[in-house]
Amino acid sequence: MDNLRFYIQTFGCQMNDHDSAVLARLLEEQGHLEVETAEGADVILLNTCAIRERAEQKVYSQLGRYRFLKEKRPEIVLGVGGCVAQGEGRKVLRRAPYVDLVFGTRTLHRVPELVEAVRSGRRQVVATALDDDPVALATLYAHAAGRGPRAYVTVMQGCDNYCAYCVVPYVRGRELSRPADELVEEVRRLAAEGVVEVTLLGQNVNSYGQKPPGEVDFPSLLRHVAAVDGIRRVRFTTSHPKDLSDDLIRAFAEVPGVMPHIHLPVQSGADRVLTAMNRRYTVAHYLGLVERLRRLRPDIALTSDLIVGFPGETDAEFEATLALMEQVVFDGLFSFKYSLRPGTRAAELTDPVPEAVKEERLARLQRLQGEHSLRRNRAMEGQVFSVLVEGGSKVGDGQVMGRTPQNKIVNFAGEVAWRAREVPVRVTAAAVNSSRGEAVGPAG
Ligand code: SF4
C-alpha cells in the first residue's frame, strides 16, 4: 500500500473526537501521514454526528465542498463515517454520489483496508454492519494510545436506553462493555506513555459491566483505573441519572484521583416531559442526586444537558426547567432546541413547538446559564486550585492553560515545560468560560 496523506474532519461529541484520534493512529501505523487541511490530502474522511438535524446538513454541505477537490483530483478517496453514515448507509451515496466510502461506528478498524479496496478497484464501498467484528474493534481501541497529558478511554459502545429524541441506539448499536482487565491494561500503557489524566467514555457509563454480564460494575472499574501508577486524575462521561448509584456517588469522596466534576444530563425540569422523553427519572430524583453529590463532595462541579421545545412542551413546563436551573445552579450547560430525528419515538409526536418559541426559550435559558456560570466561576476567585497544565494558552505569550480538578479552564503565566504537571494556582479573575490566575507554588 502507498503512503497516503489523510485528513479527518470530526463533527459532534467527545466519542467522535476519540474515534477520530483512534482512526488517525491506526492509519499512521500503516505508514500514512495525517495532514492539517483537506487540500493536500489523498484521503479525506468525515467523522459525522447525527444528533441534530443541522449537524447532518453540515455534513452534506461539507461534502459538497470536497466534491470540488475531487473534481480537480479524482484520485482522492472521500469517506464518510460516524453516526450519519451508520444511519444512512447507502443513502449517503444517493445524496452524494461522488463519495467513495461509507463506514460505520463499528467498522473503524477496517478503514485502512476499505480505503485500499476503493483505491485498487475505484469502486464505492459501504461497510456499516453493527455486528461486524466486535473483538477487532475492541482491540483497536485497546491499541490506540493518547497523546499529551490527557487521554480518553472508551469503556463501552452503544446504548440501550432509547430516549425518545435520540438516534444513538440506532446508529451506535446495542450497549456493549469492554472487559475491565483490558481497560486497566490500556490505562497502564497510557500512563507509561506520560498520560496522567484519563476520561472514561461511554454513552451511559453508569451501566458499565451489565452487557455482557460478568464484568465488574462501574464504581469498581473506576477504583481499578484510579489505582494505576502514574494516573493522577480520572474523569468519566456520560452519566444517566436513572443509573447513578450511591456507590458511584461515594467514589467521588472515597477514591483519590476521581475528580470533582460530573456531567449529569437532566434534559427537562418537568416530569411530564421527562416521561415523554422516556428518561425514567423524575425531577425530585434528580434533585436528590444533586443533593447527595454536593453533601459528599461539596466542591463538585455539575454540568448538564437541556433540551427546549420537546413536542408538547408548555410555557409552564419550560418555566419548570428554569426553576430547576435556579435550584441547582449548574457550572455549565449544553442546551439545544429539540430537532426531530427520523426513526425515533419522538418523531411520531404530533404537537411540535413553533420554531420561534423554541428560539425564544433557548435564548432565555442560555442567558440564565450565562449568569450562573459566571456566579459559579466567581466563587473560585481568591481560592487556590491544583491546575494540570495542558500547554500554551490562546490568550497570549508566556501564558499556559490548564484545568482545575473541577474541569475549569485557567490561564496563567507559566512555562510550556510544565505540561502534564500540576501547579497550585490562585484564581484572580473569573469569566463565563475560563479564568485568569497566578501560580503560587512550584510545578509538581
Ligand atoms: S442515554 Fe438516551 S440520550 Fe444518552 S445516548 Fe442513550 S438514548 Fe441517547
Side-chain angles (χ1 to χ4, degrees):
M1 199 194 294
D2 298 338
N3 298 121
L4 303 169
R5 288 160 300 170
F6 69 90
Y7 172 72
I8 304 178
Q9 183 174 12
T10 309
F11 296 86
C13 64
Q14 280 172 324
M15 204 82 159
N16 266 13
D17 284 340
H18 182 51
D19 281 354
S20 292
V22 166
L23 187 55
R25 172 101 176 188
L26 178 67
L27 289 164
E28 280 173 356
E29 281 173 357
Q30 311 279 327
H32 307 313
L33 177 73
E34 186 166 16
V35 290
E36 298 280 316
T37 61
E39 278 66 28
D42 308 304
V43 180
I44 301 173
L45 301 171
L46 266 74
N47 192 3
T48 64
C49 168
I51 289 285
R52 326 240 138 250
E53 197 176 7
R54 233 183 296 140
E56 212 169 276
Q57 284 163 3
K58 263 201 243 165
V59 170
Y60 281 106
S61 59
Q62 189 60 56
L63 281 174
R65 285 196 277 277
Y66 291 145
R67 174 190 197 161
F68 292 113
L69 289 181
K70 257 188 89 84
E71 278 169 6
K72 278 192 236 150
R73 287 175 51 219
E75 71 277 13
I76 289 177
V77 176
L78 181 55
V80 185
C83 294
V84 172
Q86 186 67 55
E88 302 254 294
R90 274 196 181 276
K91 274 194 254 161
V92 172
L93 301 183
R94 252 176 268 144
R95 260 179 96 170
Y98 43 89
V99 165
D100 301 294
L101 165 63
V102 182
F103 57 98
T105 53
R106 295 199 179 178
T107 46
L108 272 190
H109 55 290
R110 291 187 52 205
V111 168
E113 161 212 334
L114 299 172
V115 166
E116 204 37 44
V118 170
R119 280 167 47 82
S120 55
R122 281 301 343 160
R123 61 193 167 89
Q124 290 174 310
V125 174
V126 177
T128 53
L130 279 171
D131 57 354
D132 188 270
D133 184 350
V135 176
L137 184 63
T139 310
L140 170 64
Y141 279 123
H143 182 62
R147 295 163 185 174
R150 304 165 75 223
Y152 293 108
V153 174
T154 301
V155 301
M156 60 205 293
Q157 285 277 317
C159 180
D160 285 352
N161 283 313
Y162 293 93
C163 299
Y165 51 83
C166 183
V167 287
V168 164
Y170 307 98
V171 293
R172 286 204 171 249
R174 305 306 303 263
E175 183 178 308
L176 188 67
S177 299
R178 292 177 54 200
D181 49 1
E182 179 184 298
L183 292 169
V184 173
E185 197 40 51
E186 181 174 334
V187 173
R188 277 201 197 106
R189 195 171 37 73
L190 289 169
E193 293 181 6
V195 167
V196 295
E197 175 179 310
V198 288
T199 301
L200 307 182
L201 274 186
Q203 303 296 345
N204 175 22
V205 291
N206 300 169
S207 61
Y208 171 84
Q210 292 172 14
K211 293 170 187 169
E215 278 304 330
V216 299
D217 62 8
F218 189 65
S220 309
L221 176 69
L222 210 49
R223 285 176 163 85
H224 289 309
V225 167
V228 169
D229 255 5
I231 295 298
R232 295 198 228 161
R233 295 181 165 201
V234 184
R235 304 184 186 280
F236 55 88
T237 196
T238 293
S239 293
H240 195 306
K242 78 175 167 55
D243 297 316
L244 180 60
S245 65
D246 275 342
D247 199 14
L248 185 52
I249 293 176
R250 275 198 307 277
F252 281 105
E254 292 171 1
V255 185
V258 172
M259 290 293 101
H261 168 227
I262 185 166
H263 184 69
L264 194 60
V266 62
Q267 308 298 8
S268 170
D271 284 341
R272 191 205 62 82
V273 178
L274 288 175
T275 304
M277 287 176 165
N278 192 32
R279 290 292 286 174
R280 288 174 281 165
Y281 54 83
T282 60
V283 172
H285 175 77
Y286 187 88
L287 292 173
L289 295 174
V290 171
E291 195 272 322
R292 286 210 288 287
L293 284 160
R294 286 187 169 152
R295 181 157 35 86
L296 279 178
R297 189 79 202 242
D299 63 339
I300 200 164
L302 250 153
T303 55
S304 196
D305 296 342
L306 275 170
I307 294 171
V308 297
F310 188 77
E313 183 190 65
T314 63
D315 284 343
E317 286 165 343
F318 172 65
E319 293 298 331
T321 293
L322 297 182
L324 174 121
M325 288 172 65
E326 290 285 12
Q327 215 168 333
V328 176
V329 188
F330 292 109
D331 291 82
L333 193 65
F334 295 101
S335 49
F336 309 97
K337 284 184 292 180
Y338 168 76
S339 69
L340 184 150
R341 312 312 297 123
T344 59
R345 279 200 228 166
E348 289 157 26
L349 299 174
T350 50
D351 41 359
V353 173
E355 197 55 29
V357 175
K358 282 195 224 169
E359 268 164 28
E360 192 194 312
R361 288 180 185 170
L362 186 66
R364 272 185 72 193
L365 184 147
Q366 290 182 337
R367 256 196 317 275
L368 181 63
Q369 183 53 41
E371 289 165 25
H372 287 174
S373 296
L374 190 59
R375 193 193 309 169
R376 296 285 297 172
N377 287 354
R378 287 223 168 114
M380 296 162 61
E381 287 178 353
Q383 292 189 57
V384 175
F385 295 88
S386 176
V387 173
L388 176 67
V389 177
E390 289 175 25
S393 161
K394 287 188 203 138
V395 300
D397 283 350
Q399 297 273 311
V400 291
M401 170 276 199
R403 283 171 206 265
T404 67
Q406 289 76 8
N407 213 25
K408 307 248 183 163
I409 293 175
V410 183
N411 298 295
F412 62 102
E415 293 166 29
V416 178
W418 293 350
R419 193 160 188 256
R421 293 164 74 184
E422 285 179 290
V423 181
V425 175
R426 176 174 292 111
V427 172
T428 51
V432 174
N433 296 319
S434 63
S435 299
R436 297 274 191 152
E438 59 192 12
V440 294

